[in-house]
Amino acid sequence: MESYQRENGRKEKKNQKMKKRKLAVWAAILLVIAALVIMKISEIDFRGFFDSVKNPSGISEKVSDGRQFPYAVGSGENTVLKAIGNKIAILNDSSYTVIDSSNARERIKDEHGYLNPILSVSGGYSVMIDQGSDTYRLDSSTENIYENSLKSDILCADVSDTGVVAVASVSGVHKSTVTVYGKSFNEKMNYEASGGYITRVAIDNRGRRVAFAVTGSEGARIKTTVYTMETGDREPTAKFEYSGSAVLDLHFSSNDLYIVGDDFLSVIKSLKEEKAVYAKGSVNTVSYCYSPSDELVFAYGEYVGAPVNVISCVKASGKIKSEAKTDAQIKDVAASGTEMTALTSSEVISFKQRNGKESKRIQVDDSYTQIEQFSSKIYGLHSSFLELLND
């Protein structure tokens, strides 16, 4: 009996130590989040701070009969829309759905079971992580490929056009690890970064290059360092430091990398050379997205809460292709192959990417929260429905 009690006592102490260690890790992460909130970074997706071998029977798939818009997105909160190929991915707190953009026919309909789901999409693939947990899944636009669990908590992830996944996870109190997995779940790269936590990760369309942002603090100020590297290398190719600024997103366009900051926009050429598109402190980032050809649609104001916003199309070379002003604050942006579109509190306005000239205007009310665009068709998220706003 005494031996049994001693064994239970040892197990209890071990469990308490593990709980304390995990609490210390997440306390440090919460400090970083708090610093970003204080800096009024309204557009960063904090849920994305941290945007099993294949088991065909483990995840359900449902294909509906013909549907039409408006489409009921479900009762879950924090709904996110993403373009996945020519379909629309819809993620909320309880479900993940992929529907045809032409008729709202369901291709995937899952109750994902994730506590804090974050979705990244590229081409016809998506990767969903359970933020702060150890699980993620890879999907195509029509089916689940696999679901996998790591040995540590996941911070963020990205996916390539070929289904290669880059996952950042916690590997110590002040360290993070980037791991790249092939579509068949083979490990292609593993690199441990120190100096903070990885808050963003990006992988290029072919799965050969990665970039990741490590966020920490220096002198009571937030400091973000972006690293670039080839997946076959042991050390990063280059690093770029941003003191007092947060990196909201990283995105590859061929060999070049967009760095979207809360108050700047830069492009990294061939992993090594930085070109400032909008200098640090010159803009307040409002919203952004990427066109089907991987050009950046970027909305900004001169300062937080500016009554006039600008939407611009930026090429991967760093050249501003076009700009257009709106006499309103932009809530969300979307893009097709030729147009860039802004959602305001009263209108949806489209502009030609090549010259910034207005092409269409649709009246809406302030209850619309997000938009998505395929060719000339524009969709709006309104309450619990996804609506086709034009024919």
Side-chain angles (χ1 to χ4, degrees), residues 12-29:
E12 179 64 25
K13 289 181 180 179
K14 184 177 179 182
N15 288 336
Q16 290 178 355
K17 287 181 180 179
M18 291 179 67
K19 289 179 180 179
K20 288 181 180 179
R21 181 182 178 187
K22 193 165 185 177
L23 285 172
V25 170
W26 288 106
I29 294 173

Side-chain angles (χ1 to χ4, degrees), residues 346-364:
S346 61
E347 294 178 309
V348 172
I349 313 170
S350 294
F351 305 91
K352 295 294 184 183
Q353 291 179 16
R354 67 176 185 273
N355 55 20
K357 291 185 178 181
E358 184 178 321
S359 55
K360 66 172 67 74
R361 190 177 290 250
I362 304 168
Q363 299 297 313
V364 295

